[in-house]
Amino acid sequence: MKCLPGETRCSGTCSKDAVNCHSHCLVSAWLLRLRKPAGDLVKLIQNYIDGSFVPGKQEFADINPADGTTIAKVTAADEAQVGGAVHAARLALHGEWGRLAVRERAARLHKVADAIEKRFDCFVQAEVADTGKPVSLASNLDIPRAAANFRVFADLVKMAGLESFQTETLDGANALNYAVRKPLGVVGIVTPWNLPLLLLTWKVAPALACGNTVVVKPSEETPATATLLSEAMQDAGIPHGVYNVVHGFGPGSAGEFLTQHPDVDAITFTGESKTGAAIMKAVAPTVKPISFELGGKNAAIVFADCNFEETISGLSDAVFLNTGQVCLCAERAYVERRIFSAFVEALKRKAERLHSGWPNDEETNLGPLISAQHRDKVLSYFRLAREEGATVVTGGGVPKFGDDRDHGFYVQPTIYTGLPETARCVKEEIFGPVCHIAPFDSEEEAVSMANDTKYGLAASIWTSDLKRGHRVAQQMNVGITWVNCWFLRDLRTPFGGAGLSGIGREGGMHSLNFYSELNNICIRL
Ligand code: NAD
């Protein structure tokens, strides 16, 4: 099957040709076609409320970061529509969904995963079109992980036990304490653009597994896959109102309408630390559980005894994966002085071999940044680094292609050295394909520089001395530390950040505990 530009036939049966058709095959029931005055076809991404696709009154453009073209129009939910979504979610709590046995809920979540896999190519293309990320990344990471999120939490919730204690009362009788897990209620989920479906389902799956209903507000930059997920929900027999999607921006828009809504029982958010602060303020008057996964300024510590080739390869991923737009990316590397020059040179060679191609080209391993606005921000840090006295090892500018990618939001992979530890470029999250490398002379010095940040998300240690690996890892003030690897994680383990990087932990039982209200029952025996 070959999709033509603007085709509406895609429903999970895309062929390879369709995959290669460069974003045109993602049209489905969730997209209407509109005719612009010029006669071009654009697509309309709508809200999904109480099982129906609902247009809003205001539209905004969904831009392809690879060439700056508009790939769809998105209709924003107004305050009343966000309220309608919350109301639908409230009613659904007490409907069929609320009556399902845990094993049946889990079975439906497996069906959601099946439905994602059935529409795999559509999801990949939607994600690639929205983010400009390489098709290899969307197909190997984003979409498989989205399906895995549903499977993992479906299985976990079936096995989840809770502690019980037999206690002696003051008058010598016995009492049995045991806890039961209940849904929190309606969960508001606000997510970013960097790993859109992966991060959204990381929260939707455990929330639903625990019996909640959800209203999600995906990033305005990446509205497609959250909307496409509505179809997967329908396929899987998830009742109307259990999964709702409202589109729009943050302040004065759907994000704020959702987080301020008094009838939302909990808010879980992934995004920038300063947005987390604004949401915390919005949520405060109605006192509800929050879970925040926020920004980072992550350090890598490279000891001279590391496996050099493996470390260069690992660090190249840690700095440049998804064009540096992963909260866990390393923007600071501290390298033992003995190997500093060789290390900088080797990482430079690696950076210069990255291929900034079209997203659908299998060879591409470096996509554009998400938006013109974000590129301006990253370029402003490139300028600032020079003003702060950095030596530019490689990059620091915008590549020239001589084709439509020149209208996209690409920047060069960039490495700096020579900045003082107090420089803003060393302290502030840039969220681009950029790393500052500094030398160190002792383990203590490396630990102290790595920990000298208000963030506390992730760190990586590279050494062949495992004892040192343990010792240094345990001193890191972060939510996750990798030794001789990066980005690996079992979904059952805790994930979150310290300091400005977040509040709480999700993952495995930590997710189930966040998305549940525990009722401790005490019985006098
Ligand atoms: P962002 O904070 O700008 O936006 C995230 C979401 O919040 C969007 O949906 C946005 O519309 C919404 N929003 C913005 N202001 C709001 C407000 N006042 N009220 C309610 N909603 C609001 O973040 P971003 O630019 O989309 O994502 C990049 C950031 O996310 C980086 O800082 C990155 O480190 C962080 N991030 C963290 C993790 C993690 O797990 N810790 C994962 C991915 C990304």
Side-chain angles (χ1 to χ4, degrees):
M1 181 184 78
K2 188 146 180 92
C3 285
L4 301 170
E7 267 292 311
T8 53
R9 67 165 78 119
C10 179
S11 59
T13 51
C14 296
S15 68
K16 189 74 179 162
D17 276 352
V19 170
N20 286 330
C21 83
H22 198 60
S23 91
H24 292 304
C25 77
L26 57 90
V27 189
S28 195
W30 53 286
L31 292 172
L32 295 178
R33 291 196 293 169
L34 298 178
R35 198 166 284 279
K36 285 198 292 187
D40 299 346
L41 291 173
V42 288
K43 302 153 196 161
L44 183 68
I45 295 178
Q46 304 183 75
N47 306 293
Y48 181 68
I49 299 172
D50 202 13
S52 299
F53 292 94
V54 183
K57 291 196 187 79
Q58 285 189 329
E59 286 177 9
F60 60 95
D62 183 12
I63 305 287
N64 182 347
D67 59 10
T69 54
T70 298
I71 48 174
K73 293 277 182 189
V74 190
T75 63
D78 62 18
E79 193 161 7
Q81 287 175 316
V82 173
V86 173
H87 182 64
R90 170 76 47 209
L91 292 181
L93 265 180
H94 306 296
E96 182 198 354
W97 187 243
R99 292 190 297 273
L100 287 183
V102 174
R103 69 171 184 288
E104 177 55 25
R105 253 192 348 244
R108 301 236 186 144
L109 295 186
H110 273 290
K111 284 187 185 158
V112 176
D114 295 342
I116 292 173
E117 284 160 359
K118 185 180 137 207
R119 295 162 189 276
F120 189 82
D121 290 344
C122 288
F123 275 105
V124 167
Q125 280 308 303
E127 210 70 302
V128 167
D130 266 4
T131 60
K133 67 176 63 192
V135 69
S136 56
L137 190 59
S139 354
N140 292 318
L141 173 69
D142 295 76
I143 309 308
R145 253 293 296 280
N149 285 336
F150 283 100
R151 297 204 190 284
V152 164
F153 287 108
D155 291 343
L156 262 181
V157 78
K158 281 191 294 187
M159 296 185 302
L162 287 164
E163 66 268 48
S164 69
F165 298 99
Q166 191 160 325
T167 6
E168 217 174 277
T169 61
L170 285 178
D171 60 1
N174 271 324
L176 178 67
N177 285 256
Y178 69 96
V180 291
R181 196 180 285 288
K182 297 172 72 180
L184 283 172
V186 177
V187 179
I189 299 178
V190 182
T191 52
W193 45 258
N194 61 329
L195 302 165
L197 190 68
L198 185 161
L199 291 170
L200 182 110
T201 52
W202 171 242
K203 293 176 180 297
V204 169
L208 297 191
C210 293
N212 301 285
T213 57
V214 300
V215 179
V216 307
K217 209 301 278 173
S219 170
E220 55 275 27
E221 307 286 359
T222 53
T225 46
T227 315
L228 193 49
L229 186 61
S230 313
E231 285 194 355
M233 294 284 175
Q234 288 179 342
D235 281 7
I238 303 295
H240 293 171
V242 171
Y243 174 78
N244 304 276
V245 185
V246 291
H247 291 295
F249 299 81
S253 184
E256 189 176 299
F257 303 149
L258 179 60
T259 51
Q260 281 189 343
H261 200 290
D263 207 27
V264 171
D265 298 295
I267 294 288
T268 176
F269 166 72
T270 304
E272 278 194 43
S273 304
K274 67 174 177 354
T275 310
I279 292 179
M280 211 163 168
K281 213 168 161 186
V283 163
T286 47
V287 185
K288 58 189 69 161
I290 51 170
S291 172
F292 284 174
E293 295 174 340
L294 308 177
K297 187 73 182 178
N298 311 304
I301 301 180
V302 181
F303 289 96
D305 67 355
C306 69
N307 178 319
F308 194 82
E309 289 309 317
E310 285 178 14
T311 303
I312 289 294
S313 171
L315 247 290
S316 173
D317 284 347
V319 175
F320 300 118
L321 189 86
N322 207 36
T323 317
Q325 301 168 117
V326 178
C327 55
L328 303 163
C329 277
E331 290 191 359
R332 299 181 291 147
Y334 298 101
V335 179
E336 197 164 353
R337 198 176 296 275
R338 267 196 290 147
I339 61 163
F340 180 76
S341 303
F343 182 89
V344 171
E345 186 51 35
L347 196 63
K348 168 183 188 276
R349 279 199 303 273
K350 198 87 180 162
E352 289 173 353
R353 279 203 297 269
L354 292 168
H355 180 55
S356 286
W358 283 102
N360 270 311
D361 178 350
E362 292 284 347
E363 304 292 299
T364 299
N365 49 19
L366 194 76
L369 295 170
I370 189 67
S371 63
Q373 193 190 10
H374 188 52
R375 184 170 73 171
D376 288 348
K377 176 186 158 185
V378 171
L379 290 176
S380 77
Y381 276 102
F382 287 2
R383 277 193 301 279
L384 179 66
R386 289 187 176 92
E387 286 159 24
E388 290 184 313
T391 300
V392 184
V393 175
T394 188
V398 174
K400 286 277 163 281
F401 299 104
D403 60 28
D404 284 344
R405 281 171 295 169
D406 289 333
H407 305 296
F409 314 127
Y410 291 84
V411 295
Q412 292 168 328
T414 296
I415 297 172
Y416 292 117
T417 55
L419 286 173
E421 281 302 294
T422 49
R424 278 181 55 204
C425 289
V426 177
K427 292 285 174 240
E428 296 172 15
E429 183 185 49
I430 301 171
F431 219 52
V434 54
C435 185
H436 178 255
I437 313 181
F440 69 84
D441 294 301
S442 70
E443 187 178 305
E444 294 69 31
E445 187 193 8
V447 169
S448 151
M449 289 194 290
N451 276 338
D452 187 12
T453 168
K454 288 192 163 60
Y455 290 101
L457 192 57
S460 60
I461 317 293
W462 304 83
T463 175
S464 48
D465 178 347
L466 202 52
K467 252 187 164 171
R468 171 155 61 193
H470 281 287
R471 185 171 64 236
V472 174
Q474 290 183 24
Q475 293 176 74
M476 292 291 105
N477 299 329
V478 295
I480 184 163
T481 306
W482 286 282
V483 179
N484 296 328
C485 58
W486 178 77
F487 210 49
L488 285 176
R489 197 169 65 81
D490 188 307
L491 301 186
R492 292 168 296 187
T493 58
F495 181 79
L500 279 187
S501 292
I503 296 178
R505 294 291 182 272
E506 296 196 35
M509 292 304 297
H510 304 274
S511 293
L512 299 190
N513 288 339
F514 175 73
Y515 293 104
S516 305
E517 200 66 79
L518 299 185
N519 178 2
N520 179 13
I521 296 165
C522 179
I523 303 181
R524 186 183 168 96
L525 298 175

